[in-house]
Amino acid sequence: KEGVPHYDLKSETGTVMKVSADRKHREVIATGIRISVGMAFNRNGDLFATDQEGATWVPNGNPLDKLEHIIPGRHYGFPPKSLNPELLKSIVDEPPVVTFGPQHQSSCGMRFNERTGTQPSFGPSFWEGDALVVGESRGKLWRCPLVKTTAGYVGKPVLIGCMDMLATDLAISPKGEVVVCCHSGNPDWGTGPKGIGRVFKIAYTGKDQPQPVVAWPASRTEIRVAFDAPLDPFVLTTTKVVMGGRYVRAADRLEVMKPGYVAVKQQEATPTASIRVTGQELAEGGRTLVLHTEPLPWRCNYSVAVAGVKALGEAGVGVTVDVDVTLNGALAEVAGSKMRGWLPHLSSSVNRHWTMASPSFDGLTKRVTTDVSLGTMVLRTFVDLPGRDRTITLRSSVPFAVAGAGAREEATADGEQHEFVLRREAKGAELIPLDVEFKLTGKGYSFDASYHTDEDAFERPIPAERMILPWAKDLPAAPDAPVEHRKVGDWAKGRALFYGEAQCAVCHTVRGEGGQAGAIGPDLTNLTFKEPEGVLNDIISPSAMINPDYISYVVKRKKGETLTGLVAAEGAEQFKVTEGAGKFTVIRRDEVESLTPSATSLMPEGMKELGAQKLNDIVEFLTGEKPKEEKPGKK
């Protein structure tokens, strides 16, 4: 019904369930999952799952695809609360540990890059323990460094591969190689169940090749990229520009798979900045590349294609390494010294894990943990947290204080836990300044930051992307491109054709009108967010890309009869085969000899006979908005 949410938290639909070994009992663990393709436990015994947020669930795209830490009793964001905050106000969404952007990445298979017995992990040693995830729609392979803090996991995506096929799943071989399964065809659904796929093996063979550890902006005019081994000075002659923009990501130049949604076209049309590199140098024993640049213009994503990367003294021109640079993190400054630097997070455990193998951070850590005379260290950042009423909890193993908003607060000691704890309440939706001052003892320190809201007391770690560098907070946001519909036909004529001559409404619904939703064909309401050319191709070539929710099957019965249609369970002992609108057959499972997917859609192929103009009118009805009616007396 209109105005009523179409979900039920007591349903098993969209849930993670635990099933008993004898399969007689099952228990819902978490709700709000849309499509989880990959699911795995890590070495800590914690469960993670990929989840896809769908094609066009909210204007201007959809929530980002993600990697979730599955916590019993939590809800994971589907349907998106932003669709109707009033109707969905009882739902509290658990934020993802990692998001994959921009929209329409389709995070699918995942594995943990962990050594098991004689099987080594994949890649350099500092990749060990990361989650490896593939994205189907854009052919991506990421590693996701995950760090468990006192309040949960902090993670980030690091792109390590691009493919020209639909990457659906992956595994790690006994030799520590990554094996990626790919489907053929175009996004989003490829060539269907009988399409030809390929399996690729990716081996880590260039072990002398310097690998990027972390990249960060040291200032508005300086970017640093740290590697795990010294670079040949040839690299100083190659990198000329840094790219920036709202939807810019590392290795955009290699992306060949692009889903046909309006949001994707919009992102491609969004302004980007080409920032000139004015000088280069090597630091930290040749392991850190320093790029001096023109001022970074926006608070947004940046990418650097570092060309000519090769080991010291290696022949040839090297390789190009693409890295992401964001304006997130914290500034670190040690009082009474020249020690200044950048850290990716407030949490000391995140900083140690994400900067391992980098000389810049090794030096800072050693000095801070051994030199008592340094006195104090200050971490400065601004935090952008969701909600209006938030409480930030800071915990440290050494005394500390927090300055901000004209006050300086001392943390109180917890004798039981040997911790120092401070809680700061924040009202409103503005950025929250945090200047954290530690007393250095020469024994090192551990520090964590978490938050909760008035809406939900559940404690969560602060995501790395929620921490803004102080010098970046006042930069303007990167510009976006307006969404403009490109008219291809007559909306009113298309509507008449849809419900009349073309007979589309027999199987499909649009905006609540038409056939029985989901019975034969999908609801087409959200095609306003898809490119007209893609919709036209789906109409005239329905079997080219079949929606996986509407794959038909060839059912051969033991007595010889063959049926072709959509198959759905009808209880435990039988299922229903729907061959057309109002035409279905219920069959007992023990009657079936074989059940095979069909490469042919149930939608008829003869729509071309309508002619180009009528087809364009139908496409306009499906992708455009209803024209506004003119008031009487106006033309």
Side-chain angles (χ1 to χ4, degrees):
K1 297 179 181 180
E2 190 66 27
V4 178
H6 290 232
Y7 72 95
D8 180 3
L9 286 177
K10 297 180 180 179
S11 167
E12 293 181 343
T13 301
T15 65
V16 175
M17 291 190 293
K18 180 171 68 174
V19 182
S20 63
D22 60 9
R23 300 188 181 184
K24 292 182 179 179
H25 306 283
R26 54 182 182 258
E27 174 189 355
V28 172
I29 300 299
T31 58
I33 301 294
R34 182 175 182 270
I35 296 179
S36 181
V37 176
M39 189 174 290
F41 289 95
N42 68 2
R43 61 181 51 164
N44 297 321
D46 294 320
L47 179 62
F48 285 78
T50 59
D51 198 10
Q52 298 179 27
E53 284 304 310
T56 51
W57 291 100
V58 293
N60 300 321
N62 61 290
L64 299 178
D65 300 302
K66 53 196 179 179
L67 178 65
E68 307 274 24
H69 173 208
I70 302 300
I71 304 170
R74 304 304 296 178
H75 185 80
Y76 286 88
F78 189 83
K81 196 168 185 176
S82 59
L83 277 177
N84 194 319
E86 183 61 29
L87 288 177
L88 302 174
K89 62 183 178 182
S90 64
I91 299 300
V92 176
D93 292 332
E94 190 63 27
V97 175
V98 178
T99 55
F100 304 100
Q103 287 97 335
H104 307 298
Q105 300 288 340
S106 299
S107 50
C108 283
M110 61 88 64
R111 294 289 187 279
F112 281 102
N113 188 27
E114 297 171 348
R115 289 172 289 178
T116 56
T118 60
Q119 175 185 296
S121 60
F122 171 71
S125 59
F126 65 92
W127 291 12
E128 209 269 334
D130 294 353
L132 300 177
V133 181
V134 291
E136 182 189 41
S137 289
R138 299 194 186 212
K140 300 291 180 63
L141 172 61
W142 298 276
R143 69 177 183 93
C144 301
L146 304 173
V147 182
K148 190 171 187 177
T149 70
T150 56
Y153 282 89
V154 176
K156 65 177 179 178
V158 180
L159 186 71
I160 59 175
C162 291
M163 288 155 278
D164 61 358
M165 295 185 72
L166 301 169
T168 57
D169 206 351
L170 80 160
I172 300 176
S173 78
K175 295 182 179 180
E177 304 149 331
V178 167
V179 180
V180 181
C181 300
C182 293
H183 191 39
S184 57
N186 297 321
D188 283 328
W189 307 313
T191 49
K194 292 192 176 181
I196 301 300
R198 297 184 69 183
V199 176
F200 296 93
K201 182 181 75 174
I202 305 172
Y204 177 49
T205 56
K207 297 184 179 180
D208 295 330
Q209 182 75 31
Q211 297 290 338
V213 177
V214 64
W216 72 99
S219 71
R220 195 178 172 189
T221 57
E222 181 179 304
I223 289 175
R224 294 189 167 220
V225 185
F227 289 80
D228 66 346
L231 297 164
D232 190 279
F234 177 74
V235 76
L236 299 176
T237 66
T238 55
T239 305
K240 304 299 182 184
V241 296
V242 173
M243 297 303 299
R246 185 182 294 266
Y247 303 106
V248 165
R249 295 294 189 276
D252 282 344
R253 62 192 178 84
L254 301 177
E255 186 180 76
V256 296
M257 303 289 292
K258 294 181 185 293
Y261 294 105
V262 170
V264 177
K265 296 292 183 182
Q266 177 198 7
Q267 292 161 10
E268 290 181 320
T270 299
T272 58
S274 180
I275 299 99
R276 186 168 59 93
V277 175
T278 59
Q280 304 181 47
E281 59 182 295
L282 288 173
E284 310 291 349
R287 290 167 61 184
T288 300
L289 174 64
V290 181
L291 302 175
H292 302 283
T293 70
E294 297 174 324
L296 302 179
W298 305 315
R299 177 146 59 97
C300 66
N301 301 303
Y302 293 89
S303 72
V304 184
V306 182
V309 174
K310 57 180 181 176
L312 192 63
E314 182 183 348
V317 296
V319 299
T320 299
V321 174
D322 295 81
V323 294
D324 283 301
V325 179
T326 68
L327 306 191
N328 304 116
L331 291 180
E333 183 175 346
V334 178
S337 76
K338 295 182 179 180
M339 292 180 62
R340 293 177 177 82
W342 168 90
L343 290 172
H345 204 270
L346 287 175
S347 168
S348 55
S349 56
V350 174
N351 292 333
R352 282 193 298 271
H353 186 81
W354 286 4
T355 63
M356 68 172 67
S358 168
S360 299
F361 304 98
D362 287 346
L364 177 64
T365 301
K366 288 176 182 177
R367 288 289 302 279
V368 166
T369 56
T370 59
D371 195 339
V372 180
S373 66
L374 292 177
T376 60
M377 179 178 70
V378 178
L379 297 182
R380 293 188 172 92
T381 190
F382 282 78
V383 181
D384 177 20
L385 292 174
R388 295 189 59 83
D389 300 320
R390 296 89 82 211
T391 299
I392 298 174
T393 301
L394 307 171
R395 298 178 183 275
S396 176
S397 61
V398 299
F400 73 96
V402 177
R408 185 178 186 276
E409 304 170 70
E410 299 281 348
T412 58
D414 185 336
E416 294 288 331
Q417 301 292 330
H418 303 288
E419 288 182 331
F420 296 85
V421 182
L422 187 149
R423 290 183 175 85
R424 165 161 288 183
E425 293 185 357
K427 304 292 184 180
E430 68 280 352
L431 294 176
I432 305 165
L434 285 180
D435 286 3
V436 185
E437 180 182 296
F438 298 96
K439 181 179 179 180
L440 300 179
T441 63
K443 299 179 181 179
Y445 73 100
S446 62
F447 182 76
D448 267 328
S450 61
Y451 78 99
H452 68 266
T453 67
D454 283 3
E455 181 186 35
D456 181 20
F458 192 79
E459 203 73 17
R460 301 181 177 92
I462 300 175
E465 63 270 20
R466 293 283 185 173
M467 298 181 182
I468 312 298
L469 289 168
W471 57 263
K473 79 175 186 67
D474 293 324
L475 289 179
D480 209 340
V483 179
E484 295 183 1
H485 172 67
R486 182 164 39 82
K487 188 174 181 179
V488 295
D490 186 287
W491 189 93
K493 291 181 179 179
R495 185 183 188 282
L497 286 163
F498 186 90
Y499 293 107
E501 180 183 353
Q503 299 184 26
C504 306
V506 173
C507 299
H508 298 281
T509 57
V510 175
R511 306 173 189 96
E513 297 180 356
Q516 184 181 351
I520 302 295
D523 187 328
L524 304 181
T525 301
N526 288 324
L527 290 185
T528 50
F529 299 108
K530 193 167 183 179
E531 278 289 290
E533 290 82 1
V535 175
L536 177 62
N537 187 65
D538 290 343
I539 293 173
I540 62 178
S541 302
S543 297
M545 292 195 297
I546 304 175
N547 186 321
D549 292 332
Y550 294 90
I551 291 174
S552 59
Y553 286 80
V554 178
V555 183
K556 186 176 181 180
R557 304 175 80 168
K558 293 178 179 178
K559 62 181 181 180
E561 182 186 6
T562 299
L563 306 174
T564 300
L566 302 180
V567 174
E570 285 278 311
E573 304 300 329
Q574 58 188 18
F575 54 80
K576 181 171 69 175
V577 181
T578 302
E579 298 179 89
K583 183 182 179 181
F584 62 87
T585 305
V586 177
I587 305 174
R588 292 200 315 272
R589 293 179 183 271
D590 59 10
E591 294 181 59
V592 177
E593 180 178 310
S594 63
L595 181 69
T596 57
S598 172
T600 304
S601 171
L602 285 182
M603 181 172 169
E605 295 276 354
M607 297 296 287
K608 288 182 182 179
E609 297 177 4
L610 289 171
Q613 186 56 59
K614 289 183 178 180
L615 286 171
N616 282 334
D617 291 341
I618 294 173
V619 170
E620 178 64 26
F621 168 65
L622 294 172
T623 62
E625 298 293 339
K626 180 180 180 180
K628 294 181 180 179
E629 295 182 4
E630 293 185 354
K631 294 182 179 180
K634 290 189 176 182
K635 294 184 178 180

